């Protein structure tokens, strides 16, 4: 609370230097998914929290159909003409321009804006700086134009911006949690119906600790597309034997066991991951209801093992980070989080062991890979909001 005013004053000052005016200030958080990985595009469940790290979009309206955007993180500005904004420029501003383009496609007319961006969500590390950018921008553009939009429509609009404009076929999780996050709660989202519940996290004396491998392997994007088509292949085969199957979400563990032999080996492994992971999310909710953090941690461990062995989206750096974490006293669970092939792990760690957890991770990881991992500790935090 103490820096709150001064943060706002700092933003006002930077904005004033760039645009000689006083902005309205909007924010949206990054996120970490606690369990439920690669389930979103299979219509399953995910369970993310919003982080205390956020993207700030300060803005004021202008009336010449221009977006004048400065990103403090990129140290760069760009001018965008809303009359010439139908396709991407292969630039960081695509996320902002994409939001504007989809808003206009949806019938919202924008007159233009001066926008200042800064973020303490690590960019490109799997904590969804992209959704934080989209959601803070969309919230701000709507507000300064007097456009009313509910949270779910805003999340969908931002997902469309990333899917259709930027060209990244992400699910809805990131935008949804950036809109809906709540203090000390995680989001249980049914990716099929978009029914959701904010679930209290009885963390007692434990914390979520996020460790960044500081790597992002190139094959991530192509493997992601491969996994999606392997899941489609599984649905195509299994739907011939099990009536009413539209996605892997529709298949129970016992149905899978019964029909597994009909799937090619690799596809069978992918399917096993998705089906067991969907169940693990539900089991994790049950564990929380019973105040059983040890069980929650075990499910996080099982999730990682399944992503590593069956879904094959982990990598040496993630596996090592998880192994180190599990060897430390006070670690209840450790897993990769996000799409994989780099990015971050999420760990559930007893509070009084967190200091030694961080130093052991940093020391051993750096020793092995010659890179110092960043570590972020965050309580589950609130979603988008205006702070001015
Ligand atoms: P993640 O969402 O996991 O951080 P992505 O690759 O999906 O990784 O999104 C990162 C991209 O989003 C960056 O390369 C950049 O183009 C854009 N981006 C995110 N935050 C900012 C920011 N504060 N300023 C400018 N661009 C940003
Ligand atoms: Mg992203």
């Amino acid at each position: 609370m103490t820096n709150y005013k001064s943060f706002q004053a700092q933003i006002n000052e930077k904005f004033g230097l760039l645009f000689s005016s006083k902005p309205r200030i909007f924010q949206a958080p990054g996120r970490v998914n606690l369990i439920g990985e690669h389930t979103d595009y299979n219509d399953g469940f995910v369970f993310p929290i919003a982080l205390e790290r956020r993207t700030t979009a300060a803005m004021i309206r202008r009336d010449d159909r221009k977006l004048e955007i400065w990103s403090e993180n990129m140290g760069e500005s760009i001018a965008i003409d809303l009359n010439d904004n139908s396709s991407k420029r292969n630039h960081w501003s695509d996320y902002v321009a994409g939001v504007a383009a989809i808003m206009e496609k949806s019938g919202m007319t924008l007159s233009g804006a001066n926008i200042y961006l800064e973020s303490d969500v690590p960019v490109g590390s799997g904590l969804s700086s992209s959704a934080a950018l989209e959601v803070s921008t969309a919230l701000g553009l709507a507000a300064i134009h007097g456009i009313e939009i509910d949270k779910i429509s805003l999340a969908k609009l931002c997902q469309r911006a990333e899917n259709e404009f930027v060209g990244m076929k992400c699910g809805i999780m990131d935008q949804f949690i950036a809109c809906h996050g709540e203090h000390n709660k995680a989001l249980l989202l049914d990716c099929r119906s978009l029914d959701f519940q904010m679930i209290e996290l009885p963390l007692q004396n434990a914390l979520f600790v996020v460790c960044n491998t500081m790597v992002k392997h190139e094959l991530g994007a192509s493997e992601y597309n491969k996994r999606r088509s392997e899941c489609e292949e599984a649905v195509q085969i299994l739907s011939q034997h099990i009536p009413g199957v539209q996605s892997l979400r529709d298949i129970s563990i016992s149905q899978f066991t019964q029909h597994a032999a009909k799937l090619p080996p690799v596809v069978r492994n992918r399917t096993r991951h998705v089906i067991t992971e969907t169940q693990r999310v539900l089991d994790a909710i049950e564990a929380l209801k019973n105040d059983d953090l040890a069980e929650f941690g075990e499910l996080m461990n099982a999730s990682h093992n399944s992503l590593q062995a069956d879904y094959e989206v982990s990598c040496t750096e993630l596996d090592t980070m998880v192994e180190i974490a599990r060897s430390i006293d006070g670690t209840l669970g450790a897993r990769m989080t996000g799409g994989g092939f780099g990015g971050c792990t999420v760990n559930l760690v007893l509070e009084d062991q967190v200091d030694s957890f961080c130093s052991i991770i940093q020391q051993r990881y750096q020793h092995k890979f010659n890179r110092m991992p960043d570590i972020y500790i965050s309580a589950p935090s609130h979603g988008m909001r205006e702070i001015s």
Side-chain angles (χ1 to χ4, degrees), residues 71 73-74 92 95 119 122-130 133 216:
S71 165
N73 298 76
M74 302 296 164
W92 56 262
Y95 297 87
S119 184
V123 172
S125 296
L127 302 180
S128 209
S129 69
S130 57
L133 177 55
K216 187 177 184 182

Side-chain angles (χ1 to χ4, degrees), residues 31 55-56 70-74 91-96 117-134 162 168 174 216:
R31 63 95 187 95
T55 295
T56 299
W70 168 265
S71 165
E72 190 75 1
N73 298 76
M74 302 296 164
H91 187 255
W92 56 262
S93 60
D94 289 339
Y95 297 87
V96 178
L117 301 169
E118 70 168 51
S119 184
D120 63 359
V121 182
V123 172
S125 296
L127 302 180
S128 209
S129 69
S130 57
L133 177 55
E134 292 149 11
E162 193 152 341
M168 172 63 204
D174 301 353
K216 187 177 184 182

Side-chain angles (χ1 to χ4, degrees), residues 14-21 60 68-70 114-116:
K14 290 179 195 165
F15 194 92
L17 286 172
L18 283 165
F19 300 117
S20 310
S21 50
I60 191 169
E68 190 76 53
I69 315 165
W70 168 265
N114 289 332
I115 305 176
Y116 167 88

Side-chain angles (χ1 to χ4, degrees), residues 253-292:
I253 292 178
S254 66
Q255 283 173 323
F256 169 70
T257 314
Q258 195 187 335
H259 296 284
K262 293 166 185 127
L263 299 170
V266 169
V267 174
R268 187 188 312 150
N269 292 344
R270 308 300 187 236
T271 308
R272 187 185 306 110
H273 166 72
V274 174
I275 292 175
T276 57
E277 184 77 354
T278 295
Q279 185 58 44
R280 273 188 290 273
V281 179
L282 300 176
D283 293 345
I285 306 297
E286 208 44 42
L288 288 178
K289 278 192 195 144
N290 300 326
D291 276 343
D292 191 348

Side-chain angles (χ1 to χ4, degrees), residues 94-248:
D94 289 339
Y95 297 87
V96 178
V99 164
I102 300 294
M103 287 176 87
E104 296 220 296
K105 255 193 188 175
S106 317
M108 306 171 194
T109 307
L110 304 179
S111 64
N114 289 332
I115 305 176
Y116 167 88
L117 301 169
E118 70 168 51
S119 184
D120 63 359
V121 182
V123 172
S125 296
L127 302 180
S128 209
S129 69
S130 57
L133 177 55
E134 292 149 11
V135 170
S136 56
T137 302
L139 178 69
L141 284 176
I144 63 170
H145 288 87
I147 297 166
E148 298 232 346
I149 176 165
D150 63 88
K151 285 184 187 176
I152 293 182
S153 309
L154 191 137
K156 283 184 177 166
L157 183 156
C158 290
Q159 184 201 14
R160 273 186 70 194
E162 193 152 341
N163 289 172
E164 294 172 26
F165 196 92
V166 179
M168 172 63 204
K169 299 268 167 268
C170 59
I172 186 88
M173 166 170 73
D174 301 353
Q175 293 80 9
F176 210 93
I177 182 66
C179 291
H180 287 86
E182 279 183 41
H183 183 63
N184 281 343
K185 290 184 180 171
L187 164 75
L188 172 62
L189 177 65
D190 179 332
C191 296
R192 168 172 280 168
S193 63
L194 297 192
D195 284 345
F196 71 100
Q197 241 179 298
M198 298 306 304
I199 296 195
E200 195 86 37
L201 286 175
L203 284 184
Q204 303 154 26
N205 51 352
L207 293 172
F208 286 111
V209 181
V210 176
C211 301
N212 193 339
T213 62
M214 315 301 276
V215 298
K216 187 177 184 182
H217 295 297
E218 276 305 318
L219 76 182
S222 61
E223 290 296 316
Y224 178 85
N225 291 334
K226 253 198 230 167
R227 294 300 173 280
R228 289 193 72 139
S229 51
E230 286 159 349
C231 291
E232 281 163 22
E233 186 182 341
V235 169
Q236 198 265 323
I237 296 170
L238 292 172
S239 62
Q240 295 168 25
H241 304 279
I242 311 167
V245 169
Q246 278 164 12
S247 65
L248 291 184

Side-chain angles (χ1 to χ4, degrees), residues 8-43:
Q8 212 170 311
Q10 280 171 39
I11 299 287
N12 283 336
E13 194 182 318
K14 290 179 195 165
F15 194 92
L17 286 172
L18 283 165
F19 300 117
S20 310
S21 50
K22 187 167 177 253
R24 287 174 70 179
I25 305 172
F26 306 87
Q27 291 187 318
R31 63 95 187 95
V32 64
N33 191 23
L34 303 180
I35 195 160
E37 217 66 74
H38 288 278
T39 46
D40 56 349
Y41 52 86
N42 289 298
D43 282 349

